Amino acid sequence: FLYFSETHGISFRIQISVKELLDTDVLLKLLFHLPVNYPSTLPDISVNSDQLTRAQCMDVKDKLLEQAKKRLSEPMVHDLILWVQQHLKDVIKQSAAVCNEKTTLSKGTEDGIWMLLLHLDHMRAKAKYVKTVEKWASNLKLTGRLMFMGKIILILLQGDRSSIKEYLILQKTSKVDVDSSGKKCKEKMMSVLCETEVQSQHKRFQTFEIKEYSTLEELQKEFETAGLKTLFSGFVLPLFK
């Protein structure tokens, strides 16, 4: 239990591991808040997972609340946990289907070449950080660019979808930088700007290179040369505004 109080009820966190489609384990962190008059009132639920997108976590939460409504006035937390273990696959499949309707770009195929665009907030230990990124890209056979333009740091990667996913995990879980006191730390200020399948109009990068740009035009040209004009205008340009 996290905490218990007469007026606010109980909150607790549960971690469960669920076998997902590709037999990778998805670790779900569920936070339940049970109001004082639970179970005649629905619990508050929040869902987090490093392996799922924010949208998928929201879908899981919505589905859990739907299930909770069906069980109103009976203790339900245990049932909800069992339910999510059995149905997570279906929720994620549905979530992917909806996502595919929204973006014709991502077909959800595992065998195509995928592209990932990341934005980093800063690099304190730049030389070491750059070496680490180069090493990961080379080990995972990813091509692309590590781009510096003023304070903006972007990583653009292309490769197998599984390698892209593995790269993301490394980037989030490894101690890649140092904090203000010089201690090694994980990357906490990274945002995924775009993750999509490479289309025929996109040029493939042959190598992974580190580049510094002195003007926005230079950076724009790099994207346009690679057939990524829309990626630039949709995701990169807003960073400079």
Side-chain angles (χ1 to χ4, degrees):
F1 286 117
L2 284 182
Y3 61 81
F4 168 79
S5 84
E6 295 293 326
T7 46
H8 296 299
I10 298 174
S11 290
F12 54 90
R13 193 173 272 140
I14 291 174
Q15 288 206 33
I16 53 169
S17 175
V18 186
K19 273 263 185 276
E20 224 282 279
L21 302 166
L22 303 166
D23 288 338
T24 49
D25 288 353
V26 173
L27 192 65
L28 278 187
K29 300 179 189 97
L30 304 174
L31 182 64
F32 287 95
H33 173 72
L34 310 184
V36 181
N37 40 5
Y38 167 86
S40 48
T41 321
L42 287 178
D44 275 333
I45 305 171
S46 76
V47 179
N48 279 301
S49 172
D50 292 340
Q51 289 96 339
L52 302 182
T53 63
R54 196 176 296 155
Q56 287 172 326
C57 286
M58 287 299 289
D59 284 345
V60 172
K61 175 188 162 166
D62 292 344
K63 291 283 186 287
L64 274 173
L65 285 171
E66 274 172 33
Q67 293 303 314
K69 280 176 193 153
K70 294 178 189 168
R71 298 172 168 78
L72 203 54
S73 80
E74 49 181 279
M76 60 184 90
V77 171
H78 184 64
D79 289 350
L80 293 178
I81 291 166
L82 289 177
W83 184 89
V84 79
Q85 285 179 306
Q86 287 159 355
H87 296 89
L88 183 67
K89 268 186 200 176
D90 309 331
V91 176
I92 290 174
K93 264 190 194 159
Q94 275 179 333
S95 178
V98 172
C99 177
N100 289 344
E101 283 164 26
K102 284 186 201 149
T103 60
T104 46
L105 277 177
S106 67
K107 297 192 191 68
T109 48
E110 289 298 325
D111 46 1
I113 296 297
W114 280 68
M115 180 161 59
L116 178 69
L117 180 62
L118 301 174
H119 174 224
L120 300 183
D121 188 70
H122 61 271
M123 288 183 177
R124 280 205 176 88
K126 186 173 169 183
K128 180 176 166 292
Y129 204 132
V130 169
K131 270 209 173 69
T132 306
V133 170
E134 275 188 299
K135 189 177 90 191
W136 288 341
S138 137
N139 289 351
L140 294 166
K141 299 187 172 54
L142 297 171
T143 60
R145 300 281 182 269
L146 169 51
M147 306 182 257
F148 295 94
M149 156 76 221
K151 286 197 162 134
I152 303 274
I153 306 167
L154 299 168
I155 301 178
L156 180 62
L157 296 168
Q158 292 180 343
D160 293 342
R161 191 171 188 192
S162 55
S163 303
I164 292 269
K165 282 184 170 166
E166 199 164 321
Y167 179 92
L168 260 178
I169 292 168
L170 283 170
Q171 181 82 52
K172 282 178 184 166
T173 55
S174 310
K175 292 190 172 174
V176 279
D177 206 1
V178 296
D179 61 18
S180 51
S181 61
K183 278 217 285 284
K184 287 184 179 176
C185 67
K186 293 178 186 172
E187 178 56 72
K188 293 195 176 68
M189 307 280 284
M190 173 188 85
S191 44
V192 177
L193 298 178
C194 180
E195 188 179 349
T196 180
E197 196 169 2
V198 171
Q199 304 297 299
S200 51
Q201 73 271 25
H202 301 153
K203 303 240 183 346
R204 289 291 311 281
F205 290 109
Q206 297 307 311
T207 54
F208 182 76
E209 293 174 35
I210 288 89
K211 289 196 156 186
E212 305 228 4
Y213 306 85
S214 46
T215 65
L216 191 54
E217 287 73 20
E218 278 180 25
L219 184 61
Q220 186 166 357
K221 208 164 167 194
E222 179 79 77
F223 276 84
E224 287 180 358
T225 310
L228 302 173
K229 197 173 180 172
T230 48
L231 195 69
F232 181 82
S233 55
F235 298 102
V236 180
L237 213 49
L239 297 173
F240 289 89
K241 290 186 173 149

